[in-house]
Amino acid sequence: VAGGSWHLIGPPSSGQNASDYFLTGYMQTWDDGDPGSWTIQEGNPALSRGAGAAYYFYSDFTAGLYGHLNGDENAVFSLGNAGGSDDGWHLLANPFPCGIDIDNCTKTSGIAATAQVYNGSSYEKPTDHEIGPSQGFFIQVNQGSNSQTFTFPIGSKMSNGLGIFKDDEEEYDLMQITLKDNAGKSNDQLTVQFNDEATFDYDSQYDAHKITGNPIAGEMMAQITDTEFACVLGIPFPVETTTVAVNFTKGDESEYTIELERYLLDNIKVTLEDTETGFVIDLSETPIYTFTAEESKDGRFLLHFKSVTGVQELSDTDPVRIWNLRNEVYIQQDQPEEGIIYIYDISGKLVYSQDIDAAGLQKIQLNGPQGAYIVKLISGNQSYSQKIIK
């Protein structure tokens, strides 16, 4: 086990105490209350198969196993969530002395499908659905669900020599951005994956709620609703044009970098907008953005996704895209033509107009009431219209 950081680990054998398994270091167990919290263990608690704990070692360490390596099916019972959307987290661990395919584990209907592992600085979805031997991981029970069960069947075991803390890439439609402080203390990750069965609401099959609470590290999370935030977010595919709001939480440092580290799509353009500075960057072309921060801010960043094949109400060959996120209307013009933007309410009344004289992404604040609007762009000798819903 690598020293100098926390690890989520659990025993693959029965009848062991903490001092039998890890002879030195510090141990914390996870309190499944609402909200959950860490509890420092100073004694020598018994360890249970299927249950995880957090361990810290100053230097590299090898764990010694004592007792019977049990390969039988294992289940964890009485899992619940009586709190809000960010509660209901439970720390489990692979109970087998081999890797498992977590997609072959079984769970009752109230347990979200997406698990999260700790990579040494932040939480992320396990790659290739694989969990190494002794690897701990978090699962979340959906709000209002109780008496849930997570089962590790014999059929989930793998014989591929998988090691702990596996970090291989999986070739599916996703993007992954990493937030790093420039002092090298920490990093945090946000993954957006594209699936034609996902929705813009919380989907337990494709989304993972954010585990927050590290005051030292800067954190970012996608905003699903005013009260739900995700570190893994599934959105419908194919994407035409959509925007995802990303919250930023400041850590100890004041300078950070956002980097697009994994991007396996060649038909979707992703643009990052910093609402604090107004700076807009095409991450598809320039994958690194550095910024300073004096405080945390909800919705500081916006991720704009645009399909290269156009949007529903515009021709595939049109050089214009029009969409909105809440009160913001976005116009992406790929040609440097002078023009005028008009916005009408559903009755046909003009509520906004503005001249434009450049290509690129432009943003307009829409202060009218909720409802349908028509955005019209007159550019050169062409007219483009798009219906939006605020």
Side-chain angles (χ1 to χ4, degrees):
V1 180
S5 64
W6 288 95
H7 301 273
L8 303 184
I9 306 175
S13 55
S14 21
Q16 289 198 266
N17 290 346
S19 64
D20 299 327
Y21 194 39
F22 295 107
L23 303 182
T24 61
Y26 298 94
M27 174 183 177
Q28 294 187 79
T29 54
W30 178 254
D31 182 352
D32 295 335
D34 294 312
S37 60
W38 292 104
T39 300
I40 297 175
Q41 298 293 329
E42 297 181 349
N44 187 23
L47 302 178
S48 301
R49 288 180 67 228
Y55 297 87
Y56 182 91
F57 305 94
Y58 288 111
S59 58
D60 294 353
F61 180 78
T62 299
L65 299 177
Y66 303 89
H68 176 60
L69 292 176
N70 193 335
D72 295 337
E73 178 175 290
N74 188 78
V76 182
F77 302 97
S78 301
L79 305 176
N81 180 0
S85 62
D86 58 345
D87 297 325
W89 290 104
H90 298 269
L91 178 55
L92 308 184
N94 177 1
F96 298 122
C98 62
I100 61 171
D101 185 337
I102 197 168
D103 282 359
N104 290 333
C105 294
T106 58
K107 44 195 170 293
T108 48
S109 60
I111 298 178
T114 305
Q116 294 190 55
V117 296
Y118 186 66
N119 64 13
S121 59
S122 61
Y123 293 92
E124 62 181 17
K125 182 179 179 180
T127 55
D128 300 321
H129 319 291
E130 299 174 352
I131 301 289
S134 292
Q135 174 73 66
F137 61 94
F138 274 98
I139 57 97
Q140 188 182 34
V141 174
N142 295 329
Q143 185 175 355
S145 296
N146 293 296
S147 302
Q148 302 297 305
T149 301
F150 192 99
T151 303
F152 301 90
I154 295 176
S156 67
K157 296 194 292 184
M158 306 174 67
S159 58
N160 61 352
L162 177 68
I164 199 168
F165 305 130
K166 192 174 190 299
D167 189 21
D168 290 340
E169 292 192 357
E170 181 177 356
E171 297 296 322
Y172 54 90
D173 293 332
L174 62 77
M175 64 156 288
Q176 185 177 78
I177 60 174
T178 300
L179 173 73
K180 303 177 182 178
D181 68 62
N182 285 15
K185 291 182 180 178
S186 64
N187 64 66
D188 197 25
Q189 292 178 325
L190 170 63
T191 299
V192 179
Q193 52 187 348
F194 305 93
N195 190 293
D196 56 4
E197 296 181 357
T199 71
F200 290 106
D201 297 323
Y202 174 73
D203 304 305
S204 62
Q205 183 69 26
Y206 305 108
D207 302 332
H209 283 130
K210 177 70 174 179
I211 304 175
T212 61
N214 186 346
I216 297 176
E219 295 181 316
M220 63 181 174
M221 61 205 78
Q223 183 172 349
I224 302 176
T225 67
D226 290 341
T227 59
E228 287 188 294
F229 308 96
C231 65
V232 178
L233 179 68
I235 60 177
F237 184 83
V239 172
E240 292 175 338
T241 305
T242 191
T243 296
V244 173
V246 179
N247 288 5
F248 166 74
T249 302
K250 183 183 179 301
D252 283 354
E253 301 302 316
S254 295
E255 188 168 310
Y256 297 86
T257 296
I258 288 178
E259 181 174 356
L260 180 63
E261 292 195 328
R262 293 178 63 185
Y263 192 59
L264 304 181
L265 297 170
D266 57 7
N267 60 343
I268 293 179
K269 180 179 180 180
V270 56
T271 302
L272 175 72
E273 177 185 354
D274 186 341
T275 63
E276 183 81 10
T277 64
F279 190 80
V280 177
I281 182 173
D282 183 352
L283 290 179
S284 309
E285 300 292 336
T286 307
I288 298 177
Y289 173 62
T290 299
F291 66 98
T292 58
E294 298 302 326
E295 60 183 2
S296 304
K297 181 177 180 180
D298 292 346
R300 165 148 188 181
F301 300 101
L302 300 176
L303 288 171
H304 304 289
F305 299 97
K306 183 187 72 172
S307 172
V308 298
T309 58
V311 296
Q312 182 176 358
E313 295 187 26
L314 295 170
S315 168
D316 291 347
T317 59
D318 286 335
V320 173
R321 307 291 181 268
I322 299 172
W323 71 99
N324 74 297
L325 174 66
R326 301 184 182 91
N327 298 332
E328 309 285 354
V329 177
Y330 293 90
I331 297 96
Q332 174 78 47
Q333 186 176 210
D334 296 336
Q335 58 187 13
E337 294 280 357
E338 294 183 357
I340 305 175
I341 297 169
Y342 300 98
I343 301 180
Y344 303 88
D345 65 17
I346 197 63
S347 69
K349 178 182 177 181
L350 179 66
V351 297
Y352 184 89
S353 65
Q354 175 182 312
D355 294 335
I356 60 171
D357 57 3
L361 181 67
Q362 302 194 43
K363 179 175 70 174
I364 297 172
Q365 181 77 22
L366 183 58
N367 296 319
Q370 292 184 343
Y373 293 84
I374 302 297
V375 181
K376 177 182 284 188
L377 170 64
I378 307 297
S379 180
N381 59 357
Q382 299 292 323
S383 175
Y384 310 94
S385 296
Q386 178 72 42
K387 180 180 178 181
I388 62 172
I389 305 295
K390 178 184 176 183

